[in-house]
Amino acid sequence: MLEDTVPKSLKILVTALFFASVALITHTLITEHEVWKEAYVLFPLGMLGAFFVTKPRLKVLLSGLSIAVIFVGGLFEPLELDAIEESFILLPLCYLVLFPGSFFPIGVALALVASYLYNLPAEEFEEFVEDAIEVLAITVFATIMTYYYEKASRQALRYRKSTYTDVLTKLPNLNAFYEDIGEVTPDNAERYAVIQIGLNNFKSVNDRLGYRNGDELLQTFSQQLNAKVPSFAKFYRLGGDEFVFLVEAEKEQLKDQIRQLVEVLHNYHSDLYVVSDMSHRLSFSLGVAFAKDALGNVLVWGKNADLALFKARQEGAGAVCWYDDVLLDETVRQHQIEAELQRALDEQHFVLHYQPKVSIGTNELVGAEALIRWMHPNLGMVSPAEFIPVAERTGKIVPLGRWVAREACREAKSWFDKGHAIVVSINVSNVQFAHDDVFKFISDALDEHQLPANLLQIEITESTLMQQPEFVIAACEKLQERGVSIAIDDFGVEYSSLNYLKKLPIDVLKIDKSFVDDCVRLHTDHMLVRTIIQMGHNLNKRVIAEGVETEDQLALLEKEGCQEYQGYFFSRPLPAYDFVGLIDGYRSDSN
């Protein structure tokens, strides 16, 4: 029987010819024979059975029975050569349909020719030779053509399969996913949804295991999930550590089936997988997006799924985020923020607010952290938590960071000229280290405003340090040589690598607010605060506590030897003019 390598239209034509050939041969057998006519009914039954069965051995058995009926009958009651010429020439071609790409038809043709040599009258020999040559020539030509056609078709099928199959996991790949969702239109969009899966922290797992074992872990993970895919969904690997389920169902059933699949996936969240005789735990987050929310536009649909997964990852391992109206509003707002960032820079909509840093020992105001704020003419005050990630993603953080450095230096110089030597700190992100010359733009800001370098401090996070340690260390060393002090921000919440801590030319450790919040109430947080302070002293670093809000917290920090603090207990971040008033009033009270 013809395989799927044959186009549908051609398969229909060949199938029709096969049935017609069997019918013609059967008619010849029954009308031209006088003996055992009933036995020839076995021929069409065997051929049709061979056509419909799929097991190769059974196909050979049934077709062999059919041909045996003809050969045996021919031995006892040979047909006229005209009958053979008119209909039996089709017999080898029937085997082309049953066994395409094989050489069975040639064998059948030879057997057919040989069977009629028995009892052949001498006067018919010349005609027999002509018929035999005709049968063999047509059969050999058709068999060879079919063989090469099948070979080329199977090669094309293998190539197509490899194009649409992920090499590592053997799942359908991104090409297959795009082809399948190409069937989604605005008219049928209500029947489709995707569940995008993102593995959490797989890069660190991959680095720890090595890429070979990491690949094996991905294979094990994908095989286990693929085994649980319900009939209404299809599982793909998009690449890296991201997978997706495409779900198709009737409009009324789609949400229920999505919930069912999410529940199934949730049961496998944080499962253990054994690789190289070691157990490893993989967790993942899920983002759900419906095609109808994108009006059938597959590009928008894909972005919606990406955004839902991004939101789920922010919420933590195992989280599921559905793209809905709330997330749509957030998306619109993010797009608006992204579109207006450059305009805000050009029209100077950004301002700096300053949160005071106070010496615990002397209660003296010794510094301030510069915190950027966006005064949007329509949206009002836009939180840094909203626009900083957008600025980092779009690269706008580079000009924004330069503006912060220049503005902070300008303000600090104006205070210095009035007799207030306030150390101003600015935050520098890993994106700035990656895409800008941090030493140069900070040096340029200092030179432009003639600010003493010791009145500027840069704050970097542990994640910034860990992502590009050599580059960050080199830049910080040059800044420190110039006189700029370096602080590690949010110390203790991320890597806290002592190996890099000893290498980095830092001057200050900042205790993260999460430890300060419960340091009075929880013994463990108290001990962590104590440990960080003692570590800082032993390394000859100054220690600042963030987020101090109560007198009890301040008393505990003073008892443990913390040198400085900032937080709402003293003051929230203030605009520059209010900060200047605070300095003046504070100094007046001190005098």
Side-chain angles (χ1 to χ4, degrees), residues 172-242:
N173 62 9
L174 186 63
N175 293 332
F177 177 68
Y178 280 146
E179 179 163 291
D180 289 345
I181 64 174
E183 300 176 5
V184 179
T185 65
D187 294 332
N188 64 10
E190 291 183 332
R191 298 176 54 231
Y192 292 90
V194 292
I195 303 176
Q196 196 159 326
I197 301 176
L199 298 180
N200 296 314
N201 300 319
F202 181 72
K203 183 180 184 303
S204 61
V205 174
N206 213 21
D207 291 342
R208 187 176 70 251
L209 295 178
Y211 288 105
R212 185 173 181 179
N213 288 332
D215 287 348
E216 187 178 342
L217 183 59
L218 271 183
Q219 288 174 322
T220 305
F221 170 80
S222 62
Q223 288 167 4
Q224 182 158 325
L225 257 63
N226 194 37
K228 304 300 178 183
V229 177
S231 58
F232 55 79
K234 190 173 180 181
F235 192 33
Y236 307 79
R237 183 192 181 203
L238 300 184
D241 61 354
E242 290 194 0

Side-chain angles (χ1 to χ4, degrees), residues 42-274:
L42 294 175
F43 171 77
L45 293 178
M47 293 300 282
L48 293 176
F51 183 85
F52 287 109
V53 299
T54 56
K55 293 183 178 180
R57 289 185 180 180
L58 186 56
K59 188 185 291 287
V60 171
L61 178 64
L62 291 173
S63 62
L65 175 65
S66 298
I67 199 76
V69 169
I70 294 179
F71 290 160
V72 172
L75 292 175
F76 291 96
E77 190 179 3
L79 287 176
E80 296 293 330
L81 284 178
D82 289 342
I84 298 172
E85 183 180 11
E86 291 171 2
S87 60
F88 275 34
I89 194 173
L90 299 173
L91 186 60
L93 303 184
C94 289
Y95 275 79
L96 278 177
V97 178
L98 293 177
F99 305 100
S102 75
F103 290 95
F104 270 124
I106 296 176
V108 171
L110 289 172
L112 181 65
V113 170
S115 69
Y116 282 90
L117 282 173
Y118 180 71
N119 290 331
L120 181 70
E123 63 274 12
E124 295 183 359
F125 182 78
E126 186 175 345
E127 183 181 356
F128 167 77
V129 171
E130 291 179 2
D131 291 344
I133 292 173
E134 183 179 354
V135 168
L136 290 173
I138 292 174
T139 301
V140 169
F141 177 78
T143 300
I144 292 175
M145 292 298 293
T146 304
Y147 170 79
Y148 282 109
Y149 175 83
E150 284 289 310
K151 186 176 181 180
S153 297
R154 288 191 177 110
Q155 181 64 33
L157 187 63
R158 283 193 295 270
Y159 176 75
R160 176 181 173 81
K161 186 176 181 180
S162 66
T163 302
Y164 288 90
T165 302
D166 179 61
V167 176
L168 178 63
T169 62
K170 307 308 177 188
L171 292 174
N173 62 9
L174 186 63
N175 293 332
F177 177 68
Y178 280 146
E179 179 163 291
D180 289 345
I181 64 174
E183 300 176 5
V184 179
T185 65
D187 294 332
N188 64 10
E190 291 183 332
R191 298 176 54 231
Y192 292 90
V194 292
I195 303 176
Q196 196 159 326
I197 301 176
L199 298 180
N200 296 314
N201 300 319
F202 181 72
K203 183 180 184 303
S204 61
V205 174
N206 213 21
D207 291 342
R208 187 176 70 251
L209 295 178
Y211 288 105
R212 185 173 181 179
N213 288 332
D215 287 348
E216 187 178 342
L217 183 59
L218 271 183
Q219 288 174 322
T220 305
F221 170 80
S222 62
Q223 288 167 4
Q224 182 158 325
L225 257 63
N226 194 37
K228 304 300 178 183
V229 177
S231 58
F232 55 79
K234 190 173 180 181
F235 192 33
Y236 307 79
R237 183 192 181 203
L238 300 184
D241 61 354
E242 290 194 0
F243 300 80
V244 68
F245 284 96
L246 175 63
V247 179
E248 180 183 2
E250 294 301 324
K251 173 185 174 182
E252 299 79 12
Q253 302 173 351
L254 185 58
K255 267 193 176 178
D256 290 337
Q257 293 191 334
I258 286 288
R259 290 192 181 97
Q260 177 185 336
L261 183 51
V262 166
E263 186 176 344
V264 170
L265 294 174
H266 186 72
N267 293 334
Y268 290 92
H269 168 65
S270 292
D271 266 12
L272 284 174
Y273 301 88
V274 178

